[in-house]
Every structure is written in structure tokens, then in C-alpha cells.
Amino acid sequence: MIDLSNMSPAQLTLLGSALCVMLTMHFTVQLLSQHLFFWKNPKEQKAILIIICMAPIYAFDSFVGLLDIQGSKPFFTFLESVKECYEALAIAKFLALMYSYLNISIRRNIVPDGVKGREIHHSFPMTIFQPKTVRLDHRHLKLLRDWTWQFVIIRPVCSILMITLQLLGMYPTWLSWTFTIILNISVSLALYSLIAFYHVFAKELAPHRPLAKFLCIKGIVFFCFWQGMVLEILAAMGVIRSHHFWLDVEHIEEAIQNVLVIVEMVIFSVLQQYAYPSTPYSGEVEAKMFLQKKEE
């Protein structure tokens, strides 16, 4: 029996965080096993498996950061890069999943007639590089895919450069801002391609709950990013001080951020049960539709 009264704040925090990581793993493994049991559509379900693994990877990554909370700046940059690189992969797989729902295959040059000719209306600043209105064909669908996948390539390349330069002591402020600008442009382009595609096919994609699926990805990133910004502001204002915790102010933001992420991943792992259920592949949906038609 664990005696909580004799444990320090640091030990209690680690224990609570470990329990949250285990809960996230439990819900994720449960959903993974359901999809593997009803392995009906490998193309779609492979993308789904990659996406739903985002929550446990974020949780485990943050827990590692909590275990070595007094690590160096390159160490925390590495941990942050792991999460963001996986985010890039999840975004790319989400678009691939949407393509699969509409029976689009860029590799096999398959574009259904119902997809061809649909108009995408670009807005500024995309109109600098693209016509304001374009009709979807294989080339434009491939372009949307490339706009998503460029982030999958740029994110790890920037991460490797950032960590290397930090270890070499050659990482001035202006270079940090340069990487930030490049990554923000890259992720914005990737998200733009998803939003543009969803806007055109919102009606056809509605039965697949694309908005819930997308929010499970961006919700994770949104909370991680904005709560990090809030913590930095609170620390700068002196609201968060070292005597409130067992750490110095230099590492306290990382500790709070990691704990919050770990707790939030439990919530998102539960929400994923609704956004990415295995029921469409279990035969239950077809059975219900058959019964409805029979009753009619």
C-alpha cells in the first residue's frame, strides 16, 4: 500500500502523471484493438491507427520531460519536436483518410466523376500563387496532398537543425525567429489544404464525422500551444514563482505544461472513441441499414 502522506510534491506529481499516462494508454489500446479486430478496410484504418496514437505519444513524451524536468534546452526542443513531427504525420494521414472516404487515389490516378470539376475558391494570400477559382482534377488534388506533406518533411528537418545548432552553441534569437516563421508558414499551408478540401466536400464527408476527427488532432495541438503561451506570460508577470513549486522558474513552465498535456491526453483518448469508432467496419452499420430498409 502506497503511503501518499509521506510522498513529496514531486513524487505525487509523478505518480498522478503516471496514472494519467496509463489511462490514456488503456483507452487508446482499447480503440486500437477494436479496429484490429474489425480489420475490414486497411487503407482507412491504417490512417486511423496512426492518428489515434497521437494522444499516447504526446502523453508519454510529456512524461519523459517530467522525469527529467531539469534537462537542457536541446533536450526539451527534442521532446517538443517529437510531438510536432507526429502532428505533421497525423495531419497528412487525416487528408489521406478524407481522400479514401471519397474513393480518391492520387497514386493510381483515380478521381471519381463526382469529384472532378468541383470548384475550390482560394482566398488571399493563396491567390498570389493560385487562381482565385480552380476546378478539381488529379493535378489539383495532388497539389493539396503536397501542401500537406511538405510539413511532414519541413518539421523534422527544422527540428534536426535547431537541436544541432543549440548543441553547438550557435542558436541566436534571430535564427530562432526564422525557424518559427518557417514552421508557422508550413503548418498554415498544411491546414489550409485540409480546410479547403473539407469546405468543398462537407456534405459528402458528413457521415464520417470529419470535423470531430479533425478537432481531435488540432484540439491536442491547440491546447498544447496556447497553454504554453499563457504559462510564459504568467511567469513573465511573476504570477508563477519558484517558491510555489519544488523547481526553479527556469524549468517550472515545462513542468506545468507537461502535467497539463498528460491530463488532457486522457480526455482526448476518450473523445477519440467517438471520433474514430470501429463500428463502421464492424458490420453494425450495414445491419442497421438493412433492418431499416426491411421495415420500410
Side-chain angles (χ1 to χ4, degrees):
M1 191 72 177
I2 300 175
D3 187 3
L4 299 179
S5 61
N6 292 328
M7 298 181 72
S8 66
Q11 292 172 327
L12 287 171
T13 301
L14 286 174
L15 178 61
S17 298
L19 290 174
C20 286
V21 172
M22 291 173 66
L23 279 174
T24 301
M25 290 297 297
H26 166 74
F27 290 122
T28 303
V29 170
Q30 185 182 58
L31 187 56
L32 284 171
S33 62
Q34 289 171 0
H35 276 281
L36 291 172
F37 185 77
F38 299 113
W39 194 251
K40 185 178 178 181
N41 190 325
K43 185 178 179 181
E44 292 180 7
Q45 289 177 283
K46 282 179 184 177
I48 290 173
L49 295 187
I50 290 173
I51 293 169
I52 62 180
C53 282
M54 191 173 177
I57 285 175
Y58 266 56
F60 185 75
D61 183 274
S62 297
F63 186 69
V64 171
L66 202 58
L67 288 174
D68 190 13
I69 197 60
Q70 295 184 340
S72 62
K73 190 177 176 71
F75 173 72
F76 288 117
T77 302
F78 169 75
L79 292 180
E80 193 67 22
S81 298
V82 170
K83 290 186 286 191
E84 292 182 356
C85 288
Y86 201 86
E87 173 206 353
L89 179 61
I91 289 174
K93 286 301 178 181
F94 176 79
L95 182 63
L97 184 61
M98 298 300 103
Y99 276 20
S100 181
Y101 286 152
L102 296 176
N103 297 316
I104 298 171
S105 177
I106 301 300
R107 184 182 300 174
R108 298 179 182 177
N109 197 13
I110 299 174
V111 181
D113 293 335
V115 174
K116 291 178 182 177
R118 290 288 186 96
E119 290 185 346
I120 289 185
H121 301 281
H122 291 299
S123 54
F124 183 84
M126 295 307 298
T127 49
I128 299 175
F129 312 100
Q130 290 286 314
K132 189 172 182 179
T133 302
V134 298
R135 290 188 177 275
L136 279 179
D137 54 18
H138 179 269
R139 184 173 66 87
H140 286 105
L141 287 167
K142 184 177 182 298
L143 185 63
L144 287 177
R145 186 200 64 178
D146 293 343
W147 284 352
T148 306
W149 273 96
Q150 53 80 28
F151 184 46
V152 181
I153 297 170
I154 290 175
R155 175 67 259 191
V157 169
C158 287
S159 297
I160 292 169
L161 289 173
M162 290 163 65
I163 294 168
T164 303
L165 291 170
Q166 285 179 11
L167 290 172
L168 295 174
M170 302 166 56
Y171 198 64
T173 303
W174 68 268
L175 192 57
S176 174
W177 278 105
T178 301
F179 279 120
T180 300
I181 292 170
I182 291 172
L183 290 171
N184 279 325
I185 293 173
S186 179
V187 71
S188 297
L189 182 59
L191 293 176
Y192 178 85
S193 66
L194 294 181
I195 294 169
F197 184 80
Y198 171 72
H199 180 71
V200 175
F201 297 102
K203 186 177 179 180
E204 288 85 352
L205 292 171
H208 302 286
R209 301 174 185 168
L211 192 57
K213 288 177 168 64
F214 181 64
L215 289 177
C216 275
I217 298 173
K218 290 312 296 176
I220 292 173
V221 180
F222 176 85
F223 277 104
C224 292
F225 177 78
W226 285 109
Q227 70 195 13
M229 294 288 289
V230 171
L231 289 172
E232 286 185 13
I233 294 170
L234 291 176
M237 293 173 61
V239 176
I240 298 175
R241 300 177 183 178
S242 59
H243 70 268
H244 291 161
F245 301 87
W246 70 93
L247 295 167
D248 55 277
V249 177
E250 183 181 355
H251 295 94
I252 203 168
E253 291 175 42
E254 291 290 344
I256 298 175
Q257 172 77 328
N258 285 331
V259 170
L260 289 174
V261 169
I262 290 169
V263 173
E264 288 159 2
M265 291 310 105
V266 178
I267 299 171
F268 279 106
S269 65
V270 174
L271 293 177
Q272 285 178 341
Q273 307 277 333
Y274 166 80
Y276 297 95
S278 63
T279 48
Y281 310 101
S282 66
E284 292 179 18
V285 176
E286 291 87 345
K288 287 179 181 178
M289 290 178 65
F290 176 77
L291 288 173
Q292 287 177 355
K293 288 180 179 180
K294 193 174 180 180
E295 290 173 0
E296 292 173 358

